[in-house]
Amino acid sequence: MKIAFVGAGSVVFTQGLLADLFAFPELAHARIALHDIDPERLATAEGAARHIAEVRGAKPEITAHLQRRPALADADFVINIVQVGMDAATRTDFAIPARHGLRQTIADTLGVGGIFRALRTFPVLKGIAEDMAELCPDAHLLNYTNPMAMNVLYLSRIAPRLKVTGLCHSVHWTMHDLSALVGVPFEEVSYLAAGVNHQAWVLRFERAGQNLYPLLDEAIDRDPGMLRRVRVDMYRRLGHYPTETSEHSSEYVPWYLHHDSEIERLRLPVGAYLEIIKENAASYERTREALAAGRPLPVEGTLEYAPQIIHSTVSGTPRVVYGNVPNRGLIDNLPADSVVEVPCLVDALGVQPTRVGSLPPQCAALNRAYVSVTDLVVRAATDGDPRHVRHAAMADPATAAALPVERIWDLCDDLVRAHGELLQPELREVLGH
C-alpha cells in the first residue's frame, strides 16, 4: 500500500494523519511518499513522520520528494493538503478586500477569498490529475484543500474518471459538540447531515429513535449567550443546525458581516483566520525546533476521515464518513452537476455515497446560492473566461451585500494583479468596469 502526501509541508496536519494511519496494524508497513516544494518543510515532515512511526511501533517505508511525479508513481491513495501561495497569499486575500470595505472571517470557502484561493489552486490540481492519470490511474484522491466544493467540482469536470472524495471534519465535530451540549454521549447519537461543504445541515439528531433537537432547544433557552452565535441564530430561523462554525457560516449569507450591529451582537471575529495562520506557523516552528533538538514530539490522532477510508478499503471494515462528491442524484433539490456533502459508506469496495433525497426548501435555497458561485468559479477556469470570475463575486451573497457592482469588479482586478503568476494565464486579465 502506497500513500502519497501532496503538500506534506503542512506538517501539523501531516503529523495527525500519520499518527492515525500508523495506529492501524494493517497500515504499519505502508509506503509513505511525502511531497512538498519547500525543502525545509519537506525535511521537517520527513523527520516528524519517522518519529511518529517509531512511537507507534510502525515500520513504514518513508520517502521524501521535492518533485511530485516520483511521489505519485504507483500510489494507491493520494492525500492532497496543498496550500498554494501559503500565508502570504492568504494575507492578500484579507488585506485587499478590507481596503474595499469587505469583511471576511475565514475566507477559504466562498466569497472573494474562496474564489481566489480556488483560482490559484486549480493549476496545481490540473497537474496532479494529469500525473495521476499517467502514474496511478486507479488511485483514490482524498482532498483536504479548501475551497473544498470548488476544488472537487473542478476535478470532476477536468478529470471525470479520477476517483476523488473531498474530506472535511466539520460534520463530525459539529455532532460531537452538539452531543456534549445536550448531555448525551456521542457514541449513543445517530445523525444525518447533508448539504454542501461548510454549509450542510443536521437533518436528524437522535438517540435510540428519540429526536434530540428539543434538548438542544432547552440548552439554548438555559444559556442566552448562545443566542449570540451565528449558527444558533441560523438554526432558530431555519430549523436545522448548520455544520460549520459561526465564523465560517457568517460568510456564506448576506445578513451578518455587512452590519456593524450584527458583528457586535454575534461577536464575529473579522479577520479570524489571520490569527489561525499565525498559530499554524508557530506550531510548525515548534515541530521543527523539537526535531532539531532531538526532543520528543506529541503523537496525537486526529479522527480524520482519510486514514479511516484507507483502513476500510484495505481491511474491509465498514464505516460511514462524510464526503464531498458530485451530486448525481444524491440530493434532489440541488443541481445534478454540483458537489454535495453526504454520508458515504466505506468498505473494501471504496467510497459509496448515500442518496439523501430532498433538503428542506429553506436550506436548499441557501445551498443553491452557494453552488451557483462555485459553478461560476469553475467555469472561469475551464472556459478560460475572466468575466466569470467577476460574475462569481457578483453572485456571492456576502460580497453582493457589501459592495456595489463597480467596486466588486475593481476588487477582482486588484486581486488578479496581486496573485498574478499563481493564476492560469487566461484569468490574469484586468477588465476594469
Side-chain angles (χ1 to χ4, degrees):
M1 176 63 59
K2 181 177 179 180
I3 305 164
F5 285 72
V6 178
S10 300
V11 174
V12 176
F13 201 58
T14 299
Q15 284 178 268
L17 293 173
L18 289 172
D20 285 343
L21 285 167
F22 295 154
F24 292 117
E26 295 92 338
L27 302 176
H29 294 85
R31 292 183 292 157
I32 305 296
L34 306 172
H35 162 62
D36 203 278
I37 62 173
D38 183 317
E40 181 193 274
R41 281 184 167 268
L42 180 60
T44 302
E46 181 182 8
R50 296 189 185 282
H51 172 78
I52 292 166
E54 181 179 359
V55 171
R56 287 290 202 219
K59 297 187 181 300
E61 176 189 317
I62 298 171
T63 57
H65 308 269
L66 287 169
Q67 302 298 318
R68 184 173 63 221
R69 288 174 62 83
L72 294 181
D74 300 319
D76 297 288
F77 291 91
V78 178
I79 300 176
N80 179 41
I81 47 179
V82 65
Q83 182 183 354
V84 178
M86 294 293 288
D87 294 353
T90 300
R91 291 191 181 94
T92 296
D93 285 342
F94 277 91
I96 291 177
R99 290 203 297 268
H100 284 265
L102 184 63
R103 293 159 169 159
Q104 300 177 103
T105 51
I106 306 297
D108 72 351
T109 300
L110 220 58
V112 291
I115 290 168
F116 279 87
R117 181 179 283 241
L119 293 174
R120 59 180 186 266
T121 304
F122 288 166
V124 175
L125 294 180
K126 183 178 181 182
I128 292 171
E130 290 173 348
D131 286 348
M132 288 182 67
E134 178 184 349
L135 300 169
C136 53
D138 296 324
H140 199 129
L141 176 60
L142 303 174
N143 178 71
Y144 277 104
T145 296
N146 284 320
M148 181 65 66
M150 295 183 192
N151 289 340
V152 175
L153 183 63
Y154 176 76
L155 286 167
S156 75
R157 290 185 180 172
I158 67 161
R161 295 183 180 179
L162 182 67
K163 294 186 289 187
V164 56
T165 304
L167 302 177
C168 176
H169 50 229
S170 62
V171 172
H172 170 85
W173 287 111
T174 292
M175 301 315 303
H176 179 277
D177 294 348
L178 284 181
S179 299
L181 191 60
V182 301
V184 176
F186 179 61
E187 296 75 18
E188 298 178 15
V189 169
S190 300
Y191 60 88
L192 172 66
V196 293
N197 182 238
H198 290 174
Q199 198 187 59
W201 312 95
V202 180
L203 304 177
R204 295 177 65 182
F205 178 30
E206 301 174 357
R207 175 176 61 177
Q210 175 194 4
N211 181 13
L212 294 178
Y213 263 133
L215 293 184
L216 177 59
D217 295 335
E218 292 174 10
I220 293 169
D221 290 340
R222 287 193 302 268
D223 182 4
M226 290 185 64
L227 298 175
R228 300 186 65 191
R229 299 181 185 179
V230 164
R231 281 208 282 184
V232 173
D233 192 72
M234 292 177 67
Y235 161 58
R236 290 176 64 240
R237 300 175 193 281
L238 298 168
H240 294 275
Y241 203 81
T243 62
E244 193 39 272
T245 65
S246 291
E247 292 85 351
H248 275 281
S249 296
S250 68
E251 291 189 307
Y252 315 143
V253 293
W255 314 314
Y256 301 118
L257 284 170
H258 182 49
H259 304 283
D260 292 342
S261 60
E262 290 296 85
I263 288 175
E264 180 179 358
R265 177 175 77 92
L266 298 166
R267 300 173 291 186
L268 282 169
V270 175
Y273 197 67
L274 296 174
E275 293 302 316
I276 294 173
I277 62 175
K278 287 181 184 177
E279 176 53 34
N280 289 342
S283 296
Y284 165 74
E285 287 300 326
R286 288 193 293 269
T287 298
R288 187 179 65 83
E289 292 167 3
L291 287 169
R295 296 195 303 270
L297 293 172
V299 177
E300 300 175 354
T302 62
L303 300 177
E304 289 288 350
Y305 287 140
Q308 298 178 52
I309 289 172
I310 294 170
H311 179 258
S312 287
T313 305
V314 171
S315 68
T317 303
R319 287 186 175 88
V320 173
V321 304
Y322 275 76
N324 292 270
V325 294
N327 189 5
R328 297 172 186 163
L330 301 172
I331 297 180
D332 292 335
N333 50 353
L334 293 182
D337 62 349
S338 63
V339 164
V340 295
E341 188 166 63
V342 295
C344 301
L345 169 67
V346 191
D347 58 18
L349 298 178
V351 177
Q352 303 152 64
T354 299
R355 173 174 157 77
V356 174
S358 291
L359 297 177
Q362 69 277 19
C363 298
L366 293 182
N367 285 171
R368 283 195 292 269
Y370 176 120
V371 301
S372 292
V373 178
T374 297
D375 175 68
L376 285 165
V377 176
V378 172
R379 288 181 187 275
T382 57
D383 298 351
D385 187 345
R387 293 176 62 87
H388 281 333
V389 177
R390 283 76 180 169
H391 297 157
M394 291 165 63
D396 177 69
T399 305
L403 299 178
V405 68
E406 288 192 3
R407 292 291 298 280
I408 293 173
W409 280 54
D410 289 341
L411 170 55
C412 290
D413 282 348
D414 286 349
L415 285 167
V416 165
R417 292 186 188 98
H419 288 304
E421 295 300 312
L422 295 178
L423 308 179
Q424 66 190 68
E426 302 94 327
L427 302 184
R428 298 173 190 169
E429 184 178 356
V430 174
L431 299 182
H433 297 156

